[in-house]
Amino acid sequence: MMSDLEAQLRGVSLRVTRPRLAVLAVLRDHPHVDTDTVIALVRADHPTISHQAVYDVLRALTDAGLVRRIQPARATARYESRVGDNHHHVVCRSCGAIADVECAVGHAPCLTAPNDHGFVVDEAEVVYWGTCPGCAADRISQRSASSEGST
């Protein structure tokens, strides 16, 4: 029986290889990870897979449309296996955590440009910036500790 990951690779005419399956599995289980994290997670289960193999696999999977590479401003490039739905992201300014946000409005490309300058727009990319719940809670507790220490 063919696995879901094998079917994805075959569906875009890519050979099924151990490195490709390993990278797809990591991205399925760990969305929004950077290259170093992908390498570490892949090598935890497959120590013989080289760094270069992971880089090559990420490029091949991205080129084939199985993986999406995102790089918010001032942030390291991240990878995710959620593709084809033109979703957006919210990024924490403090810790860099990234979460998915559903399409802003309507169907892809989600937003209609007031002037498309003749372009045929097929995708809109929106990045929301803010503070994640964990960092916001840390700031509140730091403020409380500061105010208690000054009294």
Side-chain angles (χ1 to χ4, degrees):
M1 178 194 265
M2 183 173 28
S3 77
D4 188 39
L5 299 178
E6 290 173 0
Q8 287 179 31
L9 290 168
R10 287 192 173 105
V12 294
S13 301
L14 287 177
R15 282 185 315 118
V16 175
T17 65
R18 192 169 50 102
R20 288 177 178 164
L21 291 171
V23 169
L24 278 175
V26 163
L27 294 176
R28 177 196 59 210
D29 298 339
H30 305 277
H32 312 123
V33 290
D34 62 21
T35 306
D36 289 340
T37 303
V38 174
I39 291 169
L41 291 168
V42 165
R43 293 189 85 198
D45 290 332
H46 307 281
T48 60
I49 295 177
S50 70
H51 285 64
Q52 189 60 50
V54 173
Y55 282 108
D56 292 345
V57 167
L58 285 169
R59 187 177 61 252
L61 296 176
T62 301
D63 290 348
L66 291 178
V67 167
R68 182 176 176 190
R69 181 181 187 272
I70 59 170
Q71 187 166 9
R74 303 174 309 277
T76 304
R78 308 287 183 94
Y79 294 89
E80 65 181 345
S81 60
R82 182 178 172 185
V83 296
D85 66 350
N86 198 200
H87 67 279
H88 308 299
H89 298 95
V90 60
V91 181
C92 179
R93 291 184 189 279
S94 296
C95 70
I98 298 176
D100 290 335
V101 176
E102 298 307 316
C103 197
V105 176
H107 302 285
C110 302
L111 305 172
T112 303
N115 182 354
D116 60 20
H117 300 278
F119 284 68
V120 176
V121 177
D122 61 10
E123 183 178 1
E125 185 174 314
V126 175
V127 177
Y128 299 93
W129 291 88
T131 306
C132 72
C135 290
D138 288 347
R139 285 186 179 165
I140 290 169
S141 64
Q142 287 172 355
R143 285 187 201 132
S144 295
S146 294
S147 64
E148 289 173 11
S150 63
T151 56

